[in-house]
Amino acid sequence: MVKLQCLLRSLVRFLAILCRQPLVMLDGSVVFLSLRTPSGFKGKCGVCEYNTICGGSRSRAYGVTGDPLESEPDCLHIPEKLRALLA
């Protein structure tokens, strides 16, 4: 019971700090700005006609390749620009 009270007290302190300090630092981050710019995506996601709507899973791209701007590894769609090159 004492451990639970300590945990709850720490959680309340942490939340109080978060509420006092806005997360402005995330808005100006280079990584977050690049994630909001689909034209900067690499591979087929960069040339895909749906990249502003879909954007692919940046977390899967990061998990598989180590780069959040790489192509979505599980996407089966072939963009029109790539189809023209393959034809």
Coordinates of all heavy atoms in Angstrom, one line a residue:
M1 N 0.8 -1.2 0.0 CA 0.0 0.0 0.0 C 0.9 1.3 0.0 O 0.5 2.2 -0.7 CB -0.9 0.0 1.2 CG -1.9 1.0 1.3 SD -3.1 0.8 -0.1 CE -4.3 2.0 0.3
V2 N 2.0 1.2 0.7 CA 2.8 2.4 0.8 C 3.5 2.6 -0.6 O 3.6 3.8 -1.0 CB 3.9 2.2 1.9 CG1 5.0 3.3 1.8 CG2 3.3 2.1 3.2
K3 N 3.8 1.6 -1.3 CA 4.5 1.7 -2.6 C 3.5 2.3 -3.6 O 3.8 3.1 -4.4 CB 4.9 0.4 -3.1 CG 6.1 -0.2 -2.4 CD 6.6 -1.5 -3.1 CE 7.8 -2.0 -2.3 NZ 8.3 -3.2 -2.9
L4 N 2.2 1.9 -3.5 CA 1.2 2.5 -4.4 C 1.0 4.0 -4.1 O 0.9 4.8 -5.0 CB -0.1 1.8 -4.2 CG -1.3 2.2 -5.0 CD1 -1.0 2.1 -6.5 CD2 -2.6 1.5 -4.7
Q5 N 1.0 4.4 -2.8 CA 0.9 5.8 -2.5 C 2.1 6.6 -3.0 O 1.9 7.7 -3.6 CB 0.8 6.0 -1.0 CG -0.5 5.5 -0.4 CD -0.6 5.6 1.1 OE1 0.5 5.6 1.7 NE2 -1.8 5.5 1.7
C6 N 3.3 6.0 -2.9 CA 4.5 6.7 -3.5 C 4.4 6.9 -5.0 O 4.7 7.9 -5.5 CB 5.7 6.0 -3.1 SG 6.1 6.1 -1.3
L7 N 3.9 5.8 -5.6 CA 3.8 5.8 -7.1 C 2.8 6.9 -7.5 O 3.0 7.6 -8.4 CB 3.4 4.4 -7.6 CG 3.2 4.3 -9.1 CD1 4.5 4.5 -9.8 CD2 2.6 3.0 -9.4
L8 N 1.6 6.9 -6.8 CA 0.6 7.9 -7.2 C 1.1 9.3 -6.9 O 0.8 10.2 -7.7 CB -0.7 7.6 -6.4 CG -1.5 6.4 -6.8 CD1 -2.6 6.1 -5.9 CD2 -1.9 6.5 -8.2
R9 N 1.8 9.5 -5.8 CA 2.3 10.8 -5.5 C 3.3 11.3 -6.6 O 3.3 12.4 -7.1 CB 3.0 10.8 -4.1 CG 3.2 12.2 -3.5 CD 3.7 12.1 -2.1 NE 2.8 11.4 -1.2 CZ 3.2 10.4 -0.4 NH1 4.4 10.0 -0.3 NH2 2.3 9.8 0.4
S10 N 4.2 10.4 -7.0 CA 5.1 10.7 -8.1 C 4.4 11.0 -9.4 O 4.8 11.9 -10.2 CB 6.1 9.5 -8.3 OG 6.9 9.3 -7.2
L11 N 3.4 10.2 -9.7 CA 2.6 10.5 -10.9 C 1.9 11.8 -10.9 O 1.9 12.6 -11.9 CB 1.6 9.4 -11.1 CG 0.7 9.4 -12.3 CD1 1.5 9.3 -13.6 CD2 -0.3 8.3 -12.3
V12 N 1.4 12.2 -9.8 CA 0.7 13.5 -9.6 C 1.7 14.6 -9.8 O 1.5 15.6 -10.5 CB 0.0 13.6 -8.3 CG1 -0.4 15.1 -8.0 CG2 -1.2 12.7 -8.2
R13 N 2.9 14.5 -9.3 CA 4.0 15.5 -9.4 C 4.4 15.6 -10.9 O 4.6 16.7 -11.4 CB 5.2 15.1 -8.6 CG 5.0 15.4 -7.1 CD 6.3 15.1 -6.4 NE 6.1 15.1 -5.0 CZ 6.6 14.3 -4.1 NH1 7.5 13.4 -4.5 NH2 6.3 14.3 -2.8
F14 N 4.5 14.5 -11.6 CA 4.9 14.5 -13.0 C 3.9 15.2 -13.8 O 4.2 16.0 -14.7 CB 5.1 13.0 -13.5 CG 5.4 12.9 -14.9 CD1 6.7 13.3 -15.4 CD2 4.5 12.4 -15.8 CE1 6.9 13.2 -16.8 CE2 4.8 12.3 -17.1 CZ 6.0 12.7 -17.6
L15 N 2.6 14.9 -13.6 CA 1.5 15.5 -14.4 C 1.4 17.0 -14.1 O 1.2 17.8 -15.0 CB 0.2 14.8 -14.0 CG 0.1 13.4 -14.6 CD1 -1.2 12.8 -14.1 CD2 0.2 13.3 -16.1
A16 N 1.7 17.4 -12.9 CA 1.7 18.8 -12.5 C 2.8 19.5 -13.3 O 2.6 20.6 -13.8 CB 1.9 19.0 -11.0
I17 N 4.0 18.9 -13.4 CA 5.1 19.5 -14.2 C 4.7 19.6 -15.6 O 4.9 20.7 -16.3 CB 6.4 18.7 -14.0 CG1 6.9 18.9 -12.6 CG2 7.4 19.2 -15.0 CD1 8.0 17.9 -12.2
L18 N 4.1 18.6 -16.2 CA 3.7 18.6 -17.6 C 2.6 19.7 -17.9 O 2.7 20.4 -18.9 CB 3.1 17.3 -18.0 CG 4.0 16.2 -18.5 CD1 3.3 15.0 -18.9 CD2 4.9 16.7 -19.6
C19 N 1.7 19.9 -16.9 CA 0.7 20.9 -17.1 C 1.2 22.3 -17.1 O 0.7 23.2 -17.7 CB -0.4 20.7 -16.1 SG -1.4 19.3 -16.3
R20 N 2.3 22.5 -16.3 CA 2.9 23.9 -16.2 C 3.8 24.2 -17.4 O 3.9 25.3 -17.7 CB 3.7 23.9 -14.9 CG 2.8 24.3 -13.7 CD 3.7 24.5 -12.5 NE 3.6 23.3 -11.6 CZ 4.5 22.6 -11.0 NH1 5.8 23.0 -11.2 NH2 4.3 21.6 -10.3
Q21 N 4.4 23.2 -18.0 CA 5.3 23.4 -19.1 C 4.7 22.9 -20.4 O 4.6 21.7 -20.5 CB 6.7 22.7 -18.8 CG 7.4 23.3 -17.6 CD 8.6 22.5 -17.3 OE1 8.9 21.5 -18.0 NE2 9.4 23.0 -16.4
P22 N 4.3 23.7 -21.3 CA 3.7 23.2 -22.5 C 4.8 22.5 -23.3 O 6.0 22.7 -23.2 CB 3.3 24.5 -23.2 CG 4.1 25.6 -22.6 CD 4.4 25.2 -21.2
L23 N 4.3 21.6 -24.2 CA 5.2 20.8 -25.0 C 5.6 21.5 -26.3 O 5.6 20.9 -27.3 CB 4.5 19.4 -25.3 CG 4.2 18.6 -24.0 CD1 3.5 17.4 -24.5 CD2 5.5 18.2 -23.3
V24 N 6.0 22.8 -26.1 CA 6.4 23.6 -27.3 C 7.7 23.0 -27.9 O 7.9 23.1 -29.1 CB 6.6 25.0 -26.8 CG1 7.1 25.9 -28.0 CG2 5.3 25.6 -26.3
M25 N 8.5 22.4 -27.1 CA 9.8 21.9 -27.6 C 9.6 20.8 -28.7 O 10.4 20.7 -29.6 CB 10.6 21.3 -26.5 CG 10.0 20.1 -25.8 SD 11.1 19.6 -24.5 CE 10.4 18.0 -24.2
L26 N 8.4 20.1 -28.7 CA 8.2 19.1 -29.7 C 7.7 19.8 -31.0 O 8.0 19.2 -32.1 CB 7.1 18.2 -29.2 CG 7.4 17.3 -28.0 CD1 6.3 16.4 -27.7 CD2 8.7 16.5 -28.3
D27 N 7.1 20.9 -31.0 CA 6.6 21.6 -32.2 C 7.8 22.0 -33.1 O 7.7 22.0 -34.3 CB 5.7 22.8 -31.8 CG 4.3 22.3 -31.4 OD1 4.0 21.2 -31.7 OD2 3.7 23.1 -30.7
G28 N 8.8 22.5 -32.5 CA 10.0 23.0 -33.2 C 11.0 21.9 -33.6 O 12.0 22.2 -34.2
S29 N 10.8 20.7 -33.2 CA 11.7 19.6 -33.5 C 11.9 19.3 -34.9 O 10.9 19.3 -35.7 CB 11.3 18.4 -32.7 OG 12.0 17.3 -33.2
V30 N 13.1 19.1 -35.4 CA 13.4 18.9 -36.8 C 12.7 17.6 -37.2 O 12.1 17.5 -38.3 CB 14.9 18.8 -37.1 CG1 15.2 18.4 -38.5 CG2 15.5 20.1 -36.7
V31 N 12.7 16.6 -36.4 CA 12.1 15.3 -36.7 C 10.5 15.4 -36.9 O 10.0 15.0 -37.9 CB 12.3 14.2 -35.6 CG1 11.6 13.0 -35.8 CG2 13.8 14.0 -35.5
F32 N 9.9 16.1 -36.0 CA 8.4 16.3 -36.1 C 8.1 17.2 -37.3 O 7.1 16.9 -37.9 CB 7.9 16.9 -34.8 CG 7.7 15.9 -33.7 CD1 8.6 15.9 -32.6 CD2 6.7 15.0 -33.7 CE1 8.5 14.9 -31.6 CE2 6.6 14.0 -32.7 CZ 7.5 14.0 -31.7
L33 N 8.9 18.2 -37.6 CA 8.6 19.0 -38.8 C 8.8 18.1 -40.0 O 8.0 18.3 -41.0 CB 9.6 20.2 -38.8 CG 9.3 21.3 -37.8 CD1 10.4 22.3 -37.9 CD2 7.9 21.9 -38.0
S34 N 9.7 17.3 -40.1 CA 9.9 16.4 -41.3 C 8.8 15.4 -41.4 O 8.4 15.0 -42.5 CB 11.3 15.7 -41.3 OG 11.4 14.9 -40.2
L35 N 8.3 14.9 -40.3 CA 7.2 14.0 -40.3 C 5.9 14.6 -40.8 O 5.0 13.9 -41.3 CB 6.9 13.4 -38.9 CG 8.0 12.4 -38.4 CD1 7.7 12.0 -37.0 CD2 8.2 11.2 -39.3
R36 N 5.8 15.9 -40.7 CA 4.6 16.6 -41.2 C 4.7 17.1 -42.6 O 3.8 17.7 -43.2 CB 4.4 17.9 -40.3 CG 3.9 17.6 -38.9 CD 3.5 18.8 -38.2 NE 3.7 18.6 -36.8 CZ 4.4 19.4 -36.0 NH1 5.0 20.5 -36.5 NH2 4.6 19.2 -34.7
T37 N 5.8 16.7 -43.3 CA 6.1 17.1 -44.7 C 6.2 15.9 -45.5 O 7.3 15.3 -45.7 CB 7.4 17.9 -44.8 OG1 7.4 18.9 -43.7 CG2 7.5 18.6 -46.1
P38 N 5.1 15.4 -46.1 CA 5.1 14.2 -46.9 C 5.9 14.2 -48.1 O 6.4 13.2 -48.6 CB 3.6 14.0 -47.3 CG 2.8 14.8 -46.3 CD 3.7 15.9 -45.9
S39 N 6.2 15.4 -48.6 CA 7.1 15.5 -49.8 C 8.5 15.1 -49.5 O 9.3 14.8 -50.4 CB 7.0 16.9 -50.4 OG 7.5 17.8 -49.5
G40 N 8.9 15.1 -48.2 CA 10.2 14.7 -47.8 C 10.3 13.2 -47.5 O 11.4 12.7 -47.2
F41 N 9.2 12.4 -47.7 CA 9.3 11.0 -47.5 C 10.2 10.3 -48.5 O 10.2 10.8 -49.7 CB 7.9 10.4 -47.4 CG 7.1 10.8 -46.3 CD1 5.7 10.5 -46.3 CD2 7.6 11.4 -45.2 CE1 4.9 10.9 -45.3 CE2 6.8 11.8 -44.1 CZ 5.4 11.5 -44.2
K42 N 10.8 9.3 -48.2 CA 11.7 8.6 -49.1 C 11.0 7.4 -49.8 O 9.9 7.0 -49.3 CB 12.9 8.1 -48.4 CG 13.7 9.2 -47.8 CD 14.9 8.6 -46.9 CE 15.6 9.7 -46.2 NZ 16.5 9.2 -45.2
G43 N 11.6 6.8 -50.8 CA 11.0 5.6 -51.4 C 9.7 5.9 -52.1 O 9.4 7.0 -52.5
K44 N 8.9 4.9 -52.1 CA 7.6 5.0 -52.8 C 6.6 5.9 -52.1 O 5.7 6.5 -52.7 CB 7.0 3.6 -53.1 CG 6.5 2.8 -51.9 CD 5.9 1.5 -52.4 CE 5.3 0.8 -51.2 NZ 4.6 -0.5 -51.7
C45 N 6.8 6.1 -50.8 CA 5.9 7.0 -50.0 C 6.1 8.4 -50.5 O 5.2 9.3 -50.5 CB 6.1 6.9 -48.5 SG 5.4 5.4 -47.8
G46 N 7.4 8.7 -50.9 CA 7.7 10.1 -51.4 C 7.0 10.4 -52.7 O 6.8 11.6 -53.0
V47 N 6.8 9.5 -53.5 CA 6.2 9.7 -54.8 C 4.7 9.3 -54.9 O 4.1 9.5 -56.0 CB 7.0 9.0 -56.0 CG1 8.4 9.5 -56.1 CG2 7.0 7.5 -55.8
C48 N 4.2 8.8 -53.8 CA 2.8 8.3 -53.8 C 1.8 9.4 -53.9 O 2.0 10.5 -53.3 CB 2.6 7.5 -52.6 SG 0.9 6.8 -52.5
E49 N 0.8 9.2 -54.7 CA -0.2 10.2 -54.9 C -1.1 10.4 -53.6 O -1.8 11.3 -53.5 CB -1.1 9.9 -56.1 CG -1.9 8.6 -56.1 CD -1.1 7.4 -56.6 OE1 0.2 7.5 -56.8 OE2 -1.7 6.4 -56.8
Y50 N -1.0 9.5 -52.7 CA -1.8 9.5 -51.5 C -1.0 9.9 -50.2 O -1.5 9.8 -49.1 CB -2.5 8.1 -51.2 CG -3.4 7.7 -52.3 CD1 -3.1 6.6 -53.1 CD2 -4.5 8.4 -52.6 CE1 -4.0 6.2 -54.1 CE2 -5.4 8.0 -53.6 CZ -5.1 6.9 -54.4 OH -5.9 6.5 -55.4
N51 N 0.2 10.3 -50.4 CA 1.1 10.6 -49.2 C 0.6 11.7 -48.3 O 0.8 11.7 -47.2 CB 2.5 10.8 -49.6 CG 2.8 12.1 -50.4 OD1 1.9 12.8 -50.7 ND2 4.0 12.3 -50.7
T52 N -0.2 12.6 -48.9 CA -0.8 13.7 -48.0 C -2.0 13.2 -47.3 O -2.4 13.7 -46.2 CB -1.2 14.9 -48.8 OG1 -2.1 14.6 -49.8 CG2 0.1 15.6 -49.4
I53 N -2.7 12.1 -47.8 CA -3.8 11.6 -47.1 C -3.4 10.5 -46.2 O -3.8 10.4 -45.0 CB -4.8 11.0 -48.2 CG1 -5.3 12.1 -49.1 CG2 -6.0 10.4 -47.5 CD1 -6.0 11.7 -50.3
C54 N -2.6 9.5 -46.7 CA -2.2 8.3 -45.9 C -0.9 8.6 -45.1 O -1.0 8.5 -43.9 CB -2.0 7.2 -46.9 SG -1.2 5.8 -46.2
G55 N 0.1 8.9 -45.8 CA 1.4 9.1 -45.1 C 2.1 7.9 -44.7 O 3.3 7.9 -44.3
G56 N 1.5 6.7 -44.7 CA 2.1 5.5 -44.3 C 2.3 5.5 -42.8 O 2.1 6.5 -42.1
S57 N 2.8 4.4 -42.3 CA 3.1 4.3 -40.9 C 4.5 4.7 -40.7 O 5.4 3.9 -41.0 CB 2.8 2.9 -40.4 OG 3.3 2.8 -39.0
R58 N 4.7 5.8 -40.1 CA 6.1 6.3 -39.8 C 6.7 5.4 -38.7 O 7.9 5.2 -38.7 CB 6.1 7.7 -39.4 CG 5.5 8.7 -40.5 CD 6.3 8.8 -41.8 NE 5.7 7.9 -42.8 CZ 6.4 7.3 -43.7 NH1 7.7 7.4 -43.7 NH2 5.8 6.5 -44.6
S59 N 5.9 4.9 -37.8 CA 6.5 4.1 -36.8 C 7.0 2.7 -37.3 O 8.0 2.2 -36.9 CB 5.5 3.9 -35.7 OG 4.3 3.2 -36.2
R60 N 6.2 2.1 -38.2 CA 6.7 0.9 -38.9 C 7.9 1.1 -39.7 O 8.9 0.3 -39.7 CB 5.6 0.3 -39.7 CG 4.8 -0.7 -39.0 CD 3.9 -1.5 -39.9 NE 3.0 -0.6 -40.6 CZ 1.7 -0.7 -40.5 NH1 1.1 -1.7 -39.8 NH2 0.9 0.1 -41.1
A61 N 8.0 2.2 -40.4 CA 9.1 2.6 -41.2 C 10.4 2.7 -40.3 O 11.4 2.2 -40.7 CB 8.9 3.8 -42.0
Y62 N 10.2 3.4 -39.2 CA 11.3 3.5 -38.3 C 11.7 2.2 -37.7 O 12.9 1.9 -37.5 CB 10.9 4.5 -37.2 CG 12.0 4.7 -36.2 CD1 13.2 5.5 -36.5 CD2 11.9 4.2 -34.9 CE1 14.2 5.6 -35.6 CE2 12.9 4.4 -34.0 CZ 14.1 5.1 -34.3 OH 15.1 5.3 -33.4
G63 N 10.7 1.4 -37.3 CA 11.0 0.1 -36.7 C 11.8 -0.9 -37.6 O 12.6 -1.6 -37.1
V64 N 11.4 -0.8 -38.9 CA 12.1 -1.8 -39.8 C 13.4 -1.2 -40.4 O 14.3 -2.0 -40.5 CB 11.1 -2.1 -41.0 CG1 11.7 -2.9 -42.1 CG2 9.9 -2.9 -40.4
T65 N 13.4 0.1 -40.7 CA 14.6 0.6 -41.4 C 15.5 1.5 -40.5 O 16.6 1.7 -40.8 CB 14.2 1.5 -42.6 OG1 13.5 2.6 -42.1 CG2 13.3 0.7 -43.5
G66 N 14.9 2.0 -39.4 CA 15.7 2.9 -38.5 C 15.5 4.3 -39.0 O 16.1 5.2 -38.4
D67 N 14.7 4.6 -40.0 CA 14.5 5.9 -40.5 C 13.0 6.2 -40.7 O 12.3 5.5 -41.5 CB 15.2 6.1 -41.9 CG 15.1 7.5 -42.5 OD1 14.4 8.4 -41.8 OD2 15.6 7.7 -43.6
P68 N 12.4 7.1 -39.9 CA 11.0 7.3 -40.0 C 10.5 7.9 -41.3 O 9.3 7.8 -41.6 CB 10.7 8.3 -38.9 CG 12.0 9.0 -38.6 CD 13.1 8.0 -39.0
L69 N 11.4 8.4 -42.1 CA 11.0 8.9 -43.4 C 11.1 7.9 -44.6 O 10.7 8.2 -45.7 CB 11.9 10.2 -43.8 CG 11.8 11.3 -42.7 CD1 12.8 12.4 -43.2 CD2 10.4 11.8 -42.6
E70 N 11.5 6.7 -44.3 CA 11.6 5.7 -45.3 C 10.2 5.2 -45.7 O 9.2 5.6 -45.1 CB 12.4 4.5 -44.8 CG 13.8 4.6 -45.1 CD 14.2 4.6 -46.6 OE1 13.4 4.1 -47.4 OE2 15.3 5.2 -46.9
S71 N 10.1 4.4 -46.7 CA 8.8 3.8 -47.2 C 8.1 3.0 -46.1 O 8.8 2.3 -45.4 CB 9.0 3.0 -48.4 OG 9.3 3.8 -49.5
E72 N 6.8 3.0 -46.1 CA 6.0 2.1 -45.3 C 6.3 0.7 -45.7 O 6.0 0.3 -46.9 CB 4.6 2.5 -45.4 CG 3.5 1.4 -45.1 CD 3.4 1.0 -43.7 OE1 2.7 1.5 -43.0 OE2 4.1 0.0 -43.4
P73 N 6.9 -0.2 -44.9 CA 7.2 -1.5 -45.4 C 6.1 -2.5 -45.7 O 6.2 -3.4 -46.5 CB 8.1 -2.1 -44.2 CG 7.8 -1.2 -43.0 CD 7.3 0.1 -43.5
D74 N 4.9 -2.2 -45.1 CA 3.8 -3.1 -45.3 C 2.8 -2.7 -46.3 O 1.7 -3.3 -46.5 CB 3.0 -3.4 -44.0 CG 3.9 -4.1 -43.0 OD1 4.8 -4.9 -43.4 OD2 3.7 -3.9 -41.8
C75 N 3.1 -1.5 -47.0 CA 2.1 -1.0 -48.0 C 2.2 -1.8 -49.3 O 3.3 -2.0 -49.8 CB 2.4 0.5 -48.2 SG 1.4 1.2 -49.5
L76 N 1.0 -2.2 -49.8 CA 1.0 -3.0 -51.0 C 0.7 -2.1 -52.2 O 0.8 -2.6 -53.4 CB -0.1 -4.0 -50.9 CG 0.1 -5.0 -49.8 CD1 -1.1 -6.0 -49.7 CD2 1.4 -5.8 -50.0
H77 N 0.4 -0.8 -52.0 CA 0.0 0.1 -53.1 C 1.3 0.4 -53.9 O 2.3 0.7 -53.4 CB -0.6 1.4 -52.6 CG -0.9 2.4 -53.6 ND1 -1.9 2.2 -54.5 CD2 -0.4 3.6 -53.9 CE1 -1.9 3.2 -55.3 NE2 -1.0 4.1 -54.9
I78 N 1.1 0.4 -55.2 CA 2.2 0.9 -56.1 C 1.8 2.2 -56.7 O 0.8 2.3 -57.5 CB 2.5 -0.1 -57.3 CG1 2.8 -1.5 -56.7 CG2 3.6 0.4 -58.2 CD1 2.9 -2.6 -57.7
P79 N 2.5 3.3 -56.4 CA 2.2 4.6 -56.9 C 2.2 4.7 -58.4 O 2.9 4.0 -59.0 CB 3.2 5.5 -56.2 CG 3.8 4.8 -55.1 CD 3.7 3.3 -55.4
E80 N 1.4 5.6 -58.9 CA 1.3 5.8 -60.4 C 2.6 6.1 -61.0 O 3.0 5.6 -62.1 CB 0.3 7.0 -60.7 CG -1.1 6.7 -60.4 CD -1.7 5.6 -61.3 OE1 -1.3 5.5 -62.4 OE2 -2.5 4.8 -60.8
K81 N 3.5 6.9 -60.3 CA 4.8 7.2 -60.9 C 5.7 6.0 -61.0 O 6.4 5.9 -62.0 CB 5.5 8.3 -60.0 CG 4.8 9.7 -60.1 CD 5.6 10.7 -59.3 CE 4.9 12.0 -59.4 NZ 5.6 13.0 -58.6
L82 N 5.6 5.1 -60.1 CA 6.4 3.9 -60.2 C 5.8 2.9 -61.2 O 6.5 2.2 -61.9 CB 6.4 3.2 -58.8 CG 7.3 3.9 -57.8 CD1 7.3 3.1 -56.5 CD2 8.7 4.1 -58.2
R83 N 4.4 2.9 -61.4 CA 3.8 2.0 -62.4 C 4.2 2.5 -63.8 O 4.5 1.6 -64.6 CB 2.3 2.1 -62.3 CG 1.7 1.3 -61.2 CD 0.2 1.3 -61.3 NE -0.3 1.2 -59.9 CZ -1.5 1.4 -59.6 NH1 -2.4 1.7 -60.5 NH2 -1.9 1.3 -58.4
A84 N 4.4 3.8 -64.0 CA 4.8 4.3 -65.3 C 6.2 3.8 -65.6 O 6.6 3.5 -66.7 CB 4.7 5.8 -65.3
L85 N 7.1 3.8 -64.6 CA 8.5 3.4 -64.7 C 8.6 1.9 -65.0 O 9.4 1.4 -65.8 CB 9.3 3.7 -63.5 CG 9.6 5.2 -63.3 CD1 10.3 5.3 -61.9 CD2 10.4 5.8 -64.4
L86 N 7.7 1.1 -64.4 CA 7.7 -0.4 -64.6 C 7.1 -0.8 -65.9 O 7.4 -1.9 -66.4 CB 6.9 -1.0 -63.4 CG 7.6 -0.9 -62.1 CD1 6.6 -1.5 -61.0 CD2 8.9 -1.5 -62.0
A87 N 6.2 0.0 -66.5 CA 5.6 -0.4 -67.8 C 6.5 -0.2 -69.0 O 7.4 0.3 -69.0 CB 4.3 0.5 -67.9

